[in-house]
Amino acid sequence: MPIRTAVPPRVLTVAGSDSGGGAGIQADLKTMLAHGVHGMSVLTAVTAQNSLGVQGAWELPVEAVRAQYRSVVDDIGVQAVKTGMLASAALVETVAELLAATDAPVVVDPVGVSKHGDALLAAEALDSVRTKLLPVATVATPNLDEVAQLTGVTVTDESGMRRAAEEILAFGPRWALIKGGHLTGDAVDLLTDGSAEHWLRAPRYDNRHTHGTGCTLASAVASGLALGQDVPTAVENAKAYVTGAIRAGFPLGGGIGPVDHGWRTRPAE
Ligand SMILES: Nc1ncnc2c1ncn2[C@@H]1O[C@H](COP(=O)(O)OP(=O)(O)O)[C@@H](O)[C@H]1O
Ligand SMILES: Cc1ncc(COP(=O)(O)OP(=O)(O)O)c(N)n1
């Protein structure tokens, strides 16, 4: 068999490890595989985590993050980057400085708190997210808790999402994707660059196994961008992927199980 010469687009996640495999680096790499891109990782922190919550978290030294990034980017190259758990102000600032020099699109999931309420970002790092990380983002994907942390805006309905997007865009990302997963009714997200507005609406699945939804959505967006899609198309495709993964989420452990990243490969039930 001849050796393949065509290389798939490469996507880098800069995020923390979830030992349970539902969120973080593990969710990102599974999502990338499902999109046919080559996934790579810069690990920022290790969490002891399962369906019940986060039992422990340890961040990596700044030099370890810098070295991983250089290893990947200088040799292999990237067509898109996704960031997730960055843990501390020092890591946020390091990652923002590295990403300021890339031409690749950057999807920033400004991870603050896990579904179980465990802090994944130090409170004193919020200002670095606002002033250093969000300005280098092509797309920022906060959930409503992260919107409240970053802007002070409490969103309770769809009209509040528009206000949230304006506040997030003021920090400098090119697009804001405000995720309405924490509201009730349909699962509605708003994507806007301040002029075009795209409302993404999907049925809300009454499935409590939704661990990793945000990581999955952001990685799917990054994968679409690496494949050459424009931002609205990448987000629309990512929404369809995460919706299917939530619908297929499974009861693993005694708490909130993960979404099913491989749902497209399973036979229909
Ligand atoms: N129960 C659900 N049914 C369908 N879609 C959902 C559900 N919960 C969240 N979503 C969608 O999952 C994506 C991630 O949103 P969200 O869960 O708010 O992010 P995070 O994991 O960062 O808290 C969004 O597209 C949101 O609308
Ligand atoms: C290591 C790690 N990174 C990110 C998260 C948050 O992931 P998210 O997709 O927002 O999912 P939930 O935790 O909200 O289910 C995490 N838990 N761990």
Side-chain angles (χ1 to χ4, degrees):
M1 203 175 182
I3 292 171
R4 278 182 63 181
T5 51
V7 175
R10 286 136 279 156
V11 183
L12 175 64
T13 168
V14 182
S17 163
D18 167 7
S19 53
I25 289 274
Q26 290 80 356
D28 298 341
L29 293 175
K30 291 178 204 181
T31 299
M32 291 168 194
L33 181 66
H35 284 78
V37 300
H38 175 72
M40 307 176 293
S41 58
V42 167
L43 205 58
T44 57
V46 175
T47 70
Q49 188 171 175
N50 56 23
S51 71
L52 300 173
V54 178
Q55 291 81 42
W58 300 266
E59 66 187 75
L60 265 71
V62 159
E63 313 82 72
V65 169
R66 214 181 263 287
Q68 291 173 82
Y69 185 87
R70 288 267 65 92
S71 294
V72 169
V73 171
D74 295 349
D75 176 44
I76 302 172
V78 295
Q79 274 71 55
V81 183
K82 176 254 167 177
T83 71
M85 174 185 180
L86 297 179
S88 69
L91 287 178
V92 171
E93 291 186 15
T94 301
V95 170
E97 180 206 311
L98 292 167
L99 294 179
T102 185
D103 292 334
V106 176
V107 180
V108 170
D109 184 9
V111 171
V113 179
S114 82
K115 203 144 265 147
H116 295 90
D118 306 290
L120 299 173
L121 180 75
E124 61 270 20
L126 282 172
D127 212 42
S128 305
V129 174
R130 293 184 194 102
T131 60
K132 304 267 171 36
L133 188 61
L134 289 175
V136 302
T138 311
V139 189
T141 69
N143 67 24
L144 298 185
D145 293 336
E146 290 149 1
V147 164
Q149 276 189 320
L150 291 165
T151 70
V153 172
T154 303
V155 177
T156 54
D157 56 22
E158 288 178 29
S159 65
M161 291 172 74
R162 198 173 265 142
R163 162 98 198 282
E166 281 166 15
E167 300 264 347
I168 291 290
L169 286 172
F171 294 125
R174 243 177 288 151
W175 292 83
L177 174 59
I178 308 296
K179 300 176 293 193
H182 298 198
L183 292 176
T184 52
D186 280 352
V188 179
D189 308 332
L190 170 61
L191 172 73
T192 178
D193 63 354
S195 50
E197 220 179 57
H198 304 264
W199 289 90
L200 299 117
R201 196 172 288 274
R204 175 172 299 275
Y205 289 105
D206 188 18
N207 181 351
R208 83 183 159 98
H209 302 297
T210 56
H211 180 45
T213 46
C215 301
T216 302
L217 181 71
S219 295
V221 173
S223 300
L225 295 176
L227 289 162
Q229 297 161 14
D230 60 24
V231 170
T233 306
V235 170
E236 193 182 315
N237 291 337
K239 175 76 172 172
Y241 174 72
V242 76
T243 302
I246 291 167
R247 183 164 177 246
F250 43 81
L252 210 81
I256 303 175
V259 302
D260 183 2
H261 296 98
W263 67 277
R264 281 186 170 142
T265 64
R266 311 219 192 275
E269 283 183 10

